[in-house]
Every structure is written in structure tokens, then in C-alpha cells.
Amino acid sequence: MGIRGFGVTKPQAFEQAALALTAVITDPQQVDPQMERHFTCDAPDDELLLVDWLNALIYEMACGHVIFGRFDVTITDHHLSAIAHGEPVDRSKHEPAVEIKGATYTELAVRQIEGNGWVAQCVVDV
Amino acid sequence: MDLNLLSRVSAYEWHIPQKGTMRVPGIIYADESLVRDMDLKVYEQVVNVATLPGIVQASFAMPDAHWGYGFPIGGVAAFDPQQNGVVSAGGVGFDISCGVRALYTGLRTDDITPVKEKLADLLFAQVPAGVGSTGRLHLKSKEMDNMLAGGAQWAVQQGYGTVKDLSRIEEHGCMAGAKPGCVSDHAKKRQQDEMGTLGSGNHYLEIQEVVETYHDPLSEKLGIHTGDILVSIHCGSRGLGHQIGTEYLKKMVEAASRYGITLPDRELACAPIDSPLGQEYLGAMRAAMNCALANREIVTHLVRQAFSEIFPQTSLPLLYDVSHNTCKMEEHQIGGRSRRLFVHRKGATRAFGPGHASIPADLQAFGQPVLIGGTMGTASYLLVGTKEGMALAYGSACHGAGRSMSRHQATRQWKGQRVIQELAAHGIFIRSPSARGVAEEAPGAYKDVSAVVDAAEQAHLARKAAKMRPLICIKG
């Protein structure tokens, strides 16, 4: 399944891509920001950084049995630091449709678009 | 896919001529209708695989091929280590050794009908399914390593399943060469609560009724007749396999230039088979294969427990267990001589022909059983490997129906509760923790599995032995 985040800035596009990741699983509006998790990622380029960021979230969701609905991302060069806000997965409340196995390099792109915005996208395996 | 891109060899075999950086041609086994419906991306991915170092003979696509990640799903390719051949994490994928097994119940449709509702509820309660579900088994470090080294053999030693099951599992239930030390702590942590779980997406546990046999000697040998009830389990290596795929893809992408490999698509990330990274990946991937075999063995144990509450006399012997998403070292006859190759099957099933030493002794005369999973509303098949198939695509066949529309499109077209009601009206009981998950897996979102299987048979990859339809489906 493809996910795509748009933002005025690159970090915002990364935040929106993460939100799209949640939308693959459940309605993000159903996720309450009860707790937060901190993430840092480093990669040689923006595209690999996006994959690392999404895979870090996927890992935390799988091991911590949590789901995230809001994200605060900052990127300096190719270093990302982020806070993800969410709550433990509640199967009756969130009705999670599918677990995500991993973010792939397929259709992977991080680029500026017309109007000076940014898009961050890839296909995730479910 | 535009047929003009292909050279038609027969009604079921289409070639992509070798050109540019391709080292071998591409070969697609499918009928015209299936080929036309394939995405152009399948063509591109078959071509990309054909450019990888050490590929032998051709880059193959099975009748259910669809757009995957790097390799097409339904892709088969073999690499020779003596010709700088590679092993590709992308060529195996995230769901390492995902597979299907079938159990024989000895029951008939009439036995199931009066207790169908109760059995569905029991199975749903007994077998953890869906996102966030956890198993009752929680493995610590040492036991995790024992499981990764021992596969289904380890599971049987722990009291899950029977010794008799092992003879009906590929590799006798334990993939040799697994190296738990090549599996990261992250991957092990991701797996520690997931043993004995189905997962989500297209994974399932089904109670199936045999609706047709094809007078095939294999179905006769297995004692399968119309009206018999089988259990089908489709799941894989869970979080451990996903994490290994993720981590080694990254390592191989970063190392590609060091090995002088030009990747037409980063998802084709690979390393020379004989390189340190190639060997590490093989060790980790084989450990994930063992994880999948152990997982299906534990789920089988849970199914047997559920059945025993209603049918205490049943033992549910294992008919066969096949894996998809693998890379295996195999001997194949190429140009009159035997060569040791690393065969990648991504969303494809091993389908060895009669006489192959890897087939259980009592089934060797017939060919390898091949289990094809369908949708929760259509059909599944038991096929059998053919002698011809060994020369066509290293003894490989399709693995399922293959999606015809995205999950997003499916949720726009169907509502989960409606799908459940409509299937119930046809006598198919669905149990799932997620209505949206059911909508995404609606039968209409998949290709016609019967057309796929017919094409595999007409292409001589495998032949039909039995057709089953679902009566109960537990969806993750």
C-alpha cells in the first residue's frame, strides 16, 4: 500500500507520511495522544531517512503494542529527531485493519514540489 | 500489460527478449487474459531481476504475478555462486517463509454443519489473530535461539505437534544452516510475544470442504474425497521475518556499490552469495524460515486443541506444509549438467516433480503437494508438482490468487459487515477482529484463483489434484 505525506516543509511531509502510516492501520482521529515516544534516525540521504523513520515507528508499534496519531519531526541535514504521540492499541476502539511489515524502497521519494511544498512517499508492505 | 512487449511462445508462455543490461530473458507463464491484466510494473520488475549478477536461464513470473517490491510477487529466479551470483533480501521479501499447510480431519461436511458456528467461535478464541494479538508462548533469549535453529522440530520437542508431522514439512521441519547469531536483538524482541499467532492481512485459518477432485493419484494417495473436511493454515515468520527483511534490505542497499553491484531498483538489494553479508543474510533468513515452520506447528497444535473439544476422536494429521518467500540452495539440471543454485521464490511455491529426493518417501512417486490459497469466498487448491515443471522454472508454481485491486480501493467498494453477511448467506462463517480488515480482503479484491490454477496446469508447472471451498475463515 502506498503512503504519501505533503507538507510546507520537509519535516512536515515526514510527519504527514507517518500519519498516513497510521491511516493504513486505523483512523488516526481515533488515536488519543496519551503518551509519547522519542525517535532519532540518521541516514545518508533523505529517502533512506524516510524509510528509517517509518521503520522505527513500525518497530515501536509492533513491540510496544502502541499506535500513534500525532508527530513532531525536526530534520537537520540527514539527522531526524521526533516525538510521536499516541496510546496503547485498543482492539475494540481502533479495530486495527492490518499490521505493517515494513517500509519498502518501492516508489520511494522525498522531493520538493511546485509551490515550494514537499512530498515524502513510499510503499509499505502489509 | 501490453502484449506487444512480449514474444508469445505458446498460449501459456510469454518471453521478454534479452536486451540492454538484462543477463537473461524474462519468461511469464500465464494465459493471455492474465497477462493482459498484469500491471506494466510486473514487466519492469521481471526485466530488473534479469539484470542481477549470476542469474541463470531466465527471470520467471508465475500466473499470479503482480506488482511487488523489487521482485514481482510470483517471481522466481536462481543464481549461481560460481558466477558471482547474488542472494537478495528483496527477492525473498518481508514475510519470510510465509506458507500454507493443510490438515486432514477425517470428518465430512455433514459432521461440521451442525456445529459450524460453535467451531468457528472456538477457533477464533483459541488461535490469536489480528494486529496486536500475542501468543501464550513468550520466548526468552536462549529458547528463542533454539527455536530459530530447530524450527518445527523444536516445536514438536516442546510438545506442539507430533513427530509424524515433520515428514510432511519441507526440509523435514528444520531448515539447515540457520544462524540465530545473525538475527538482531531487535528482530528477536519483535518476535518474543508472537509465537503461535496468525498475523493479519491475507493470513487466515480456514475450515474447507473438498468440492472437487480430479482423479489425481496424489489425492487418492492422501485419501481426499469430495465432501471431506480439511483445515488450512496460512501464516509466516511474523515480526521476526519482517524485521530481518527490513534490516538486511538496508545493509544490502548500503553495501551494493562496495560489491560493484548496480541496482536498477533499491528494493532488489542483494549481496554476492559467497560474501560475508550474503552468508549472514542466508543464516538469518534460514532462522526466519524455522520461525515460520515453528509458528505454523504451534498454530496447528492450537487448532487440534479446539477440534478436540467437539470432535475428541480426531487427530488432524498434517497433509503437507509449503513455504513461499524463500531462497533455497537446490541442485538443478541445466544444459545436461547438475548445478548448485540459490533459487528465490517470492510469492511462489516450490513444486518439485515425481522422484525428487526432497519429497516425503511415501509421496515421492506422485510429486510434491502444492497448496494454493484462495480468498475467503472462493476456492483453494491442492496441486501436485510435475516432471515438466522441473525444467520450466526450477520446479515452481503459483502461490495464490494475487490481488486485483488495492486495499484502499477495496474499502471504498465493500463494507466489512456486509461482506461477512453475504458470505454467511453462502454458508461461509467469518470471524475477524477487524471489519475493515475483512473489507480489504473481500473476495472481489482478488484475481480469479481458478484461472490462475488453470494457467499453471496448462503451462505444466503443476496439475490439479483437489479443489476446496471455505466453510469457516478466521481472519487476522
Side-chain angles (χ1 to χ4, degrees):
Chain A
M1 186 174 274
I3 60 170
R4 182 176 287 151
F6 295 97
V8 174
T9 64
K10 187 165 58 181
Q12 283 179 356
F14 274 55
E15 290 170 0
Q16 291 298 305
L19 197 64
L21 187 77
T22 295
V24 172
I25 304 165
T26 190
D27 178 358
Q29 293 186 341
Q30 295 296 316
V31 181
D32 291 325
Q34 296 173 4
M35 50 75 169
E36 58 185 43
R37 294 280 187 274
H38 293 247
F39 298 86
T40 57
C41 303
D42 292 281
D45 62 48
D46 285 343
E47 293 182 342
L48 295 179
L49 189 64
L50 176 66
V51 171
D52 276 4
W53 159 232
L54 297 173
N55 278 327
L57 290 169
I58 291 166
Y59 180 79
E60 187 58 31
M61 287 192 286
C63 291
H65 307 294
V66 292
I67 189 141
F68 302 110
R70 188 161 66 78
F71 308 88
D72 302 315
V73 172
T74 57
I75 298 174
T76 308
D77 296 326
H78 299 304
H79 171 80
L80 174 148
S81 63
I83 303 171
H85 307 265
E87 63 176 321
V89 172
D90 179 335
R91 300 222 302 172
S92 58
K93 176 185 174 186
H94 300 119
E95 279 199 61
V98 71
E99 65 188 346
I100 300 175
K101 297 168 189 166
T104 78
Y105 301 104
T106 301
E107 298 296 301
L108 173 61
V110 176
R111 62 172 183 268
Q112 277 191 290
I113 50 175
E114 280 183 38
N116 292 326
W118 284 80
V119 61
Q121 66 171 47
C122 74
V123 170
V124 296
D125 192 11
V126 298
Chain B
M1 186 184 297
D2 181 356
L3 297 183
N4 292 320
L5 294 167
L6 310 173
S7 161
R8 183 182 184 277
V9 175
S10 75
Y12 298 93
E13 183 175 338
W14 307 76
H15 286 200
I16 301 172
Q18 188 177 340
K19 64 183 179 192
T21 54
M22 290 172 73
R23 297 168 193 261
V24 292
I27 297 180
I28 300 172
Y29 294 109
D31 65 24
E32 184 174 325
S33 173
L34 287 168
V35 174
R36 278 189 193 282
D37 287 344
M38 285 178 189
D39 196 290
L40 183 61
K41 290 283 184 184
V42 174
Y43 172 89
E44 293 172 7
Q45 292 186 329
V46 169
V47 167
N48 285 343
V49 171
T51 68
L52 294 178
I55 188 168
V56 177
Q57 279 195 318
S59 164
F60 297 99
M62 299 290 107
D64 54 339
H66 54 285
W67 182 23
Y69 317 109
F71 274 53
I73 296 168
V76 176
F79 299 85
D80 187 342
Q82 295 191 329
Q83 295 185 351
N84 301 316
V86 294
V87 57
S88 170
V92 173
F94 291 92
D95 204 357
I96 298 168
S97 201
C98 176
V100 180
R101 63 168 46 187
L103 312 174
Y104 182 78
T105 68
L107 300 168
R108 306 277 298 164
T109 309
D110 290 347
D111 299 319
I112 291 289
T113 305
V115 296
K116 206 156 71 171
E117 192 104 38
K118 185 181 175 188
L119 182 60
D121 291 338
L122 257 177
L123 290 167
F124 189 47
Q126 185 77 353
V127 180
V131 181
S133 60
T134 55
R136 286 165 219 165
L137 190 63
H138 304 282
L139 296 182
K140 299 291 180 201
S141 174
K142 187 164 182 286
E143 263 321 285
M144 178 70 74
D145 284 358
N146 290 340
M147 180 275 288
L148 295 175
Q153 292 183 9
W154 169 87
V156 170
Q157 286 163 7
Q158 304 305 307
Y160 303 102
T162 68
V163 171
K164 206 174 170 190
D165 293 339
L166 300 174
S167 67
R168 293 296 178 90
I169 305 173
E170 290 180 5
E171 320 301 337
H172 208 75
C174 177
M175 187 69 214
K179 295 178 186 165
C182 295
V183 178
S184 72
D185 289 343
H186 265 51
K188 291 172 184 174
K189 186 179 176 197
R190 197 166 164 180
Q191 186 62 26
Q192 65 185 9
D193 299 329
E194 293 197 349
M195 292 308 297
T197 62
L198 269 185
S200 64
N202 62 356
H203 298 133
Y204 61 74
L205 158 63
E206 282 189 354
I207 306 304
Q208 301 174 339
E209 173 191 30
V210 178
V211 290
E212 196 168 356
T213 58
Y214 300 90
H215 308 292
D216 189 89
L218 178 70
S219 57
E220 296 290 328
K221 168 69 180 174
L222 295 175
I224 294 173
H225 303 99
T226 303
D228 283 350
I229 299 296
L230 307 181
V231 178
S232 179
I233 297 165
H234 175 210
C235 59
S237 53
R238 310 291 297 111
L240 182 122
H242 308 164
Q243 193 64 26
I244 289 172
T246 296
E247 292 171 2
Y248 277 93
L249 259 173
K250 185 180 177 188
K251 286 182 186 179
M252 288 179 171
V253 163
E254 290 171 350
S257 59
R258 216 166 58 232
Y259 290 123
I261 297 171
T262 304
L263 295 175
D265 173 349
R266 282 197 277 202
E267 198 67 26
L268 287 171
C270 56
I273 292 162
D274 288 333
S275 68
L277 181 55
Q279 288 298 308
E280 269 178 47
Y281 174 69
L282 283 168
M285 182 209 59
R286 288 163 178 159
M289 291 171 76
N290 282 333
C291 179
L293 298 178
N295 192 44
R296 287 198 287 277
E297 193 66 21
I298 296 170
V299 171
T300 296
H301 175 76
L302 300 175
V303 169
R304 285 170 174 157
Q305 282 186 327
F307 261 77
S308 69
E309 291 196 27
I310 302 179
F311 302 106
Q313 77 282 13
T314 56
S315 60
L316 276 63
L318 176 61
L319 289 178
Y320 206 70
D321 179 298
V322 297
S323 290
H324 320 131
N325 303 348
T326 60
C327 173
K328 290 188 178 182
M329 188 179 73
E330 298 170 1
E331 298 276 341
H332 287 277
Q333 293 293 318
I334 312 289
R337 71 183 177 97
S338 181
R339 286 172 68 179
R340 186 175 63 101
L341 304 176
F342 285 73
V343 182
H344 294 62
R345 296 185 179 89
K346 170 95 169 269
T349 313
R350 198 186 76 176
F352 283 167
H356 198 286
S358 297
I359 302 171
D362 61 331
L363 301 180
Q364 230 170 62
F366 305 92
Q368 184 204 306
V370 179
L371 296 159
I372 306 297
T375 75
M376 54 187 161
T378 53
S380 293
Y381 285 86
L382 169 66
L383 310 183
V384 56
T386 63
K387 186 180 175 191
E388 301 95 309
M390 296 304 295
L392 290 172
Y394 306 112
S396 308
C398 51
H399 86 309
R403 292 192 76 90
S404 61
M405 76 171 65
S406 73
R407 290 177 179 275
H408 185 59
Q409 282 176 299
T411 52
R412 287 166 68 173
Q413 194 152 336
W414 294 286
K415 295 292 176 206
Q417 285 304 330
R418 187 69 190 270
V419 172
I420 291 170
Q421 288 164 7
E422 286 177 1
L423 290 171
H426 287 91
I428 303 168
F429 291 2
I430 307 298
R431 295 290 185 274
S432 173
S434 170
R436 182 177 140 190
V438 171
E440 292 183 3
E441 287 291 314
Y446 280 85
K447 292 179 193 173
D448 177 2
V449 67
S450 296
V452 167
V453 164
D454 285 345
E457 182 171 73
Q458 293 296 327
H460 305 295
L461 296 168
R463 65 172 189 279
K464 291 189 283 189
K467 178 180 180 180
M468 292 77 75
R469 79 173 188 102
L471 298 179
I472 296 170
C473 179
I474 312 298
K475 267 293 195 191

